[in-house]
Amino acid sequence: MSTRTSPAAVERERALARSLRTGPFHAALRTAIECRGLSLARLQYRLSQQGVQVAQSTLSYWQQGIRRPERPESLRAVTMLEEILRLPAGSLTMLLGSRRPRGRWVNHVPGSRQLADVMTGTREAVDRLLVEIGSAPGKVRIASLHECLFMDAEGRLARTELHHVVRAATGRTDRLVALYAGDPGCDATEIDVRATANCQIGRIRRDRGEGMIAAEVIFGRQLEPGDTHAMRYEFVDGTARSPFPGHRRGFPFPGGQYLLFLQFDPARQPSRCVYQPSRPDPLPVELPLGPHSAVHVLEDDIQPGVLSLTCEWS
């Protein structure tokens, strides 16, 4: 007796094939889970049968793009997921690309996701830094953020400039909390933050295990709801030991304009730069390296999600 596959099931399989071909990882994983009709609890149980322990919350973060698998145990879980979800071997793993991009910074606004949910670092490290710094994140939204990254002659990230305009959302506020991370396990004392225009740096706390720092950026005046403040500050990063793998920034809420600008030294340039917009599930875009050894991406209307740029080196 033959069975007939429904048109809906055929379309789901086609959508899964497209997602595995184009990525990104979180979209492909989410599509595969939906296509196979498995709950996160069931996936967690199946993984545990293979000796891999992964929390349901972690699986949820992976399929939302809030976090990505990086540690050896997590990568083993991805390999197991390919088998459990009946996917071609390596189909999910290949979408992960290079190791974790460096240099993430996010500010939190009440009503959005928790700050730890849009950082690649561990929730424990983020929560610990915020407690230690003794200051709630600023009640501001992004009006404009220009993030300029400068690489040295070895292709390593040396400095990140932020040209930032914020708008007070609720209540009165005079500061924001900035978080920045180098490679996991790097010496966070090699990361410094400096005010360069119309602000000052307050308290700084470091997590050496995660290679992460938290810093207060103080405006110098109280903002009422709707007020804006423009400032410039920078992170000087001495932790890089290899060419810059890429950059990742999470946006937990809609905002204004975001510019990401990368300046490479002519002595060492990447062979390829691939940009993944923060909008839901678009195709990745390869960026041409201009005559001045620079690339940039511009989002005029920030949407919640994760923007990433990956650099490949020959």
Side-chain angles (χ1 to χ4, degrees):
M1 179 178 178
S2 63
T3 59
R4 182 178 178 183
T5 304
S6 70
V10 171
E11 182 53 39
R12 284 196 297 269
E13 289 295 333
R14 288 175 178 169
L16 176 57
R18 288 194 300 269
S19 191
L20 291 173
R21 186 172 61 253
T22 63
F25 168 81
H26 70 275
L29 176 60
R30 183 175 64 246
T31 303
I33 293 172
E34 293 172 352
C35 190
R36 301 302 182 234
L38 294 176
S39 67
L40 296 184
R42 185 61 181 170
L43 282 178
Q44 181 192 37
Y45 174 74
R46 294 283 299 276
L47 287 169
S48 67
Q49 287 185 312
Q50 302 290 332
V52 179
Q53 303 301 321
V54 179
Q56 287 186 45
S57 59
T58 298
L59 293 171
S60 178
Y61 292 152
W62 288 354
Q63 70 169 352
Q64 294 179 67
I66 296 172
R67 297 183 188 172
R68 53 181 276 142
E70 291 174 344
R71 293 182 172 87
E73 184 74 0
S74 297
L75 296 177
R76 183 181 171 214
V78 173
T79 301
M80 292 296 100
L81 285 171
E82 291 169 349
E83 179 180 334
I84 294 169
L85 296 169
R86 304 195 307 278
L87 304 176
S91 56
L92 287 176
T93 306
M94 287 189 296
L95 293 175
L96 287 171
S98 59
R99 63 188 175 90
R100 180 178 79 166
R102 308 170 68 253
R104 291 152 310 280
W105 172 99
V106 185
N107 62 287
H108 174 70
V109 172
S112 67
R113 293 175 180 171
Q114 294 185 15
L115 184 59
D117 288 344
V118 294
M119 292 291 293
T120 303
T122 65
R123 173 183 293 274
E124 293 78 11
V126 174
D127 289 344
R128 182 166 56 249
L129 283 172
L130 293 178
V131 169
E132 288 181 2
I133 206 167
S135 175
K139 301 175 182 180
V140 296
R141 295 188 185 275
I142 296 173
S144 174
L145 176 59
H146 292 186
E147 195 164 19
C148 305
L149 283 64
F150 298 89
M151 266 51 73
D152 64 16
E154 299 298 324
R156 300 170 301 197
L157 177 63
R159 181 168 54 92
T160 299
E161 289 185 0
L162 296 110
H163 301 199
H164 198 181
V165 182
V166 297
R167 177 176 286 109
T170 58
R172 305 178 69 202
T173 186
D174 66 348
R175 67 194 64 197
L176 59 81
V177 175
L179 283 159
Y180 180 99
D183 282 341
C186 72
D187 187 352
T189 61
E190 294 186 57
I191 303 172
D192 194 17
V193 56
R194 304 171 184 170
T196 55
N198 207 31
C199 63
Q200 67 184 69
I201 303 301
R203 289 168 290 185
I204 299 175
R205 296 294 183 269
R206 291 177 167 84
D207 187 305
R208 295 193 177 190
E210 285 289 321
M212 182 183 294
I213 75 171
E216 289 181 320
V217 182
I218 302 173
F219 310 148
R221 65 189 184 99
Q222 287 282 350
L223 301 186
E224 301 289 344
D227 288 349
T228 59
H229 186 77
M231 65 202 137
R232 292 171 56 190
Y233 51 99
E234 66 179 13
F235 290 95
V236 180
D237 190 346
T239 68
R241 300 292 183 264
S242 58
F244 181 68
H247 188 74
R248 172 185 168 94
R249 172 174 286 280
F251 297 104
F253 49 84
Q257 183 188 79
Y258 176 68
L259 169 70
L260 176 61
F261 174 86
L262 277 66
Q263 178 67 66
F264 298 96
D265 191 293
R268 188 75 194 276
Q269 302 181 31
S271 57
R272 189 168 180 253
C273 293
V274 178
Y275 161 56
Q276 181 68 57
S278 64
R279 298 182 301 278
D281 304 339
L283 294 176
V285 178
E286 184 168 349
L287 302 175
L289 193 66
H292 303 292
S293 304
V295 297
H296 79 277
V297 296
L298 178 67
E299 293 206 2
D300 287 316
D301 185 18
I302 296 169
Q303 298 299 312
V306 177
L307 176 151
S308 64
L309 190 148
T310 302
C311 296
E312 299 176 5
W313 301 81
S314 57

